[in-house]
Amino acid sequence: MNRRMSSEETAPSADLSQIPAQITGPAAWYGPAMAQSDGWIEHITQAELEEVEAAVRRFDEAGEDPAHLRSEAFPLPSLAARLRRVLAEVLDGRGFALLRGLRGPWLDRGGLRAAAIAFLGIGSHLGSARSQNARGHILGHVKDLGLSSQDPSVRIYQTRERQTFHTDSCDVVALLCLRTARAGGLSALVSSVTLYNEMRRARPDLTEALFAPIETDRRSEVPAGELPYFRIPVLSWHAGLLSGIYQRQYIESARRFPDVPPLTARQIEALDLFDALANDPALHMTMELRPGDIQLVHNHTLLHDRTAFEDWPDPDRKRHLLRLWLAPPGARPLPPVFRERYGALTPGDRGGIVVPGTRLHAPLDPA
């Protein structure tokens, strides 16, 4: 009688002897110590805010489509230089930053269109915006639409459920907070480098399992010629760098496909330990995003999470964040296996979700 072989059985074994037992550097941080510092907060100055306001007004008056906004059409004489420094810290340093203070009467007057133009304009100085779903949205809306992640076509950011620690399918994810929830909805970050170090110290045998390809559900967003799932290791070592890609719920939901084998006991134990470490308050940190905050997170060195939340009954007060998936031209090299999810490996032109018929646009309607 034939049986399906597990992905662990069919994948090559990782050779941990080729990877440092302890990876050091600014990306290997611990939450409590990081939370005590505010060096990761960048306060937007009044002069920089006025630059953004002028660029928004000019672009808006031209009547252009925000989906086609490029940095040349959104000049930021002084802020652009600071954005480059911040991006360098995100890509090569601690892996995240918070820009605080994108607020003002002009944003209130301009409403969602002005906020979208400002966010896309700032993002254009960081990298190219990538499609976040099968509909080609380069501007995402993180808002509860009354949906459930139990539906395999639904993504968790469309619900008010806890997201759990995960990565997005891009180099850098950016969030602009417009409105906060009545309660909850905190942002949490954990270093995947620190997770590796702790796991390697405690259970090197289970750590090895994370370097073997594993199936992850595409959630019904399937590029042309691809399977409804992709196979990439949770952790990869390439060009002297550790890179992660992870979404536990989607690893488990990939088992719904008849050609995907069940997880082995060893894989489950490894993933359980990885999750337990990510959820350990001694490793992760949380922060509350305020209106006007822009959070930048490097997916290759961090996992991010959002706690469940209780929203306001008034529709005009409901929690609402805008999201960008960005491909910076100076991003790190990625191993060839990432092509299966990122579509390409070229920095500045990779990541995102593109399926047949996808047309890139920046919707102002969350639905």
Side-chain angles (χ1 to χ4, degrees):
M1 177 172 144
N2 294 329
R3 70 176 179 89
R4 290 181 296 164
M5 297 183 70
S6 74
S7 55
E8 185 179 30
E9 292 173 303
T10 59
S13 298
D15 184 2
L16 290 187
S17 68
Q18 303 301 311
I19 308 172
Q22 178 88 4
I23 300 175
T24 59
W29 50 262
Y30 287 80
M34 185 63 75
Q36 289 177 1
S37 166
D38 62 358
W40 40 271
I41 301 178
E42 297 276 341
H43 293 274
I44 299 175
T45 67
Q46 183 59 36
E48 291 168 338
L49 193 59
E50 289 171 1
E51 288 181 1
V52 177
E53 178 183 2
V56 169
R57 186 186 309 112
R58 186 171 111 175
F59 188 87
D60 192 34
E61 289 174 351
E64 300 289 342
D65 183 351
H68 304 305
L69 198 159
R70 300 292 181 266
S71 60
E72 302 79 35
F74 203 85
L76 299 172
S78 59
L79 180 56
R82 181 138 74 117
L83 290 175
R84 287 192 293 271
R85 293 194 297 272
V86 170
L87 181 61
E89 185 62 45
V90 171
L91 296 178
D92 303 316
R94 76 178 76 88
F96 73 98
L98 189 73
L99 295 168
R100 174 153 286 166
L102 187 64
R103 306 194 72 181
W106 58 276
L107 270 176
D108 297 333
R109 290 193 302 270
L112 190 52
R113 177 174 167 83
I117 293 173
F119 191 35
L120 285 160
I122 290 172
S124 72
H125 288 269
L126 299 169
S128 64
R130 314 304 290 178
S131 172
Q132 300 175 36
N133 54 34
R135 292 179 288 173
H137 293 180
I138 63 167
L139 181 70
H141 294 265
V142 180
K143 192 173 185 181
D144 178 26
L145 301 180
L147 304 174
S148 168
S149 65
Q150 297 305 306
D151 182 338
S153 66
V154 168
R155 293 194 170 273
I156 299 176
Y157 69 85
Q158 299 170 314
T159 76
R160 58 184 178 86
E161 303 167 21
R162 182 195 168 184
Q163 289 190 323
T164 74
F165 283 102
H166 68 285
T167 61
D168 290 345
S169 296
C170 61
D171 295 313
V172 173
V173 57
L175 292 172
L176 167 61
C177 179
L178 300 179
R179 294 190 298 272
T180 58
R182 184 174 185 175
L186 298 179
S187 173
L189 301 175
V190 67
S191 163
S192 51
V193 178
T194 299
L195 293 180
Y196 163 82
N197 286 340
E198 290 294 318
M199 197 158 173
R200 176 78 180 263
R201 179 182 59 80
R203 292 292 302 273
D205 58 321
L206 295 182
T207 307
E208 191 174 58
L210 299 182
F211 285 85
I214 192 167
E215 300 86 356
T216 300
D217 195 347
R218 294 184 188 272
R219 305 295 278 188
S220 303
E221 298 178 323
V222 186
E226 298 289 350
L227 295 169
Y229 54 86
F230 59 89
R231 296 183 73 243
I232 299 178
V234 173
L235 298 176
S236 296
W237 181 254
H238 178 72
L241 296 167
L242 184 78
S243 297
I245 183 167
Y246 185 63
Q247 174 57 276
R248 178 71 180 268
Q249 294 100 319
Y250 299 169
I251 288 174
E252 292 179 343
S253 70
R255 309 303 127 185
R256 66 194 172 103
F257 301 112
D259 58 335
V260 174
L263 294 171
T264 66
R266 181 168 177 259
Q267 285 176 313
I268 293 172
E269 189 177 6
L271 296 176
D272 284 349
L273 178 56
F274 194 68
D275 286 339
L277 289 169
N279 285 297
D280 186 344
L283 271 65
H284 71 242
M285 64 176 289
T286 60
M287 67 179 75
E288 181 180 9
L289 300 185
R290 306 173 186 173
D293 283 355
I294 295 177
Q295 183 192 62
L296 303 174
V297 173
H298 190 208
N299 281 298
H300 306 313
T301 60
L302 297 182
L303 276 64
H304 59 278
D305 187 8
R306 183 207 68 208
T307 64
F309 63 89
E310 175 190 348
D311 224 337
W312 299 96
D314 182 354
D316 292 333
R317 297 188 65 184
K318 288 187 178 296
R319 183 180 189 271
H320 191 180
L321 286 78
L322 299 182
R323 185 177 68 180
L324 297 176
W325 281 6
L326 299 170
R332 64 171 52 192
L334 290 174
V337 70
F338 268 71
R339 186 179 286 111
E340 190 170 334
R341 180 57 170 171
Y342 276 56
L345 299 177
T346 306
D349 187 24
R350 67 189 187 193
I353 298 168
V354 178
V355 303
T358 293
R359 180 182 65 83
L360 299 183
H361 60 295
L364 298 183
D365 182 358

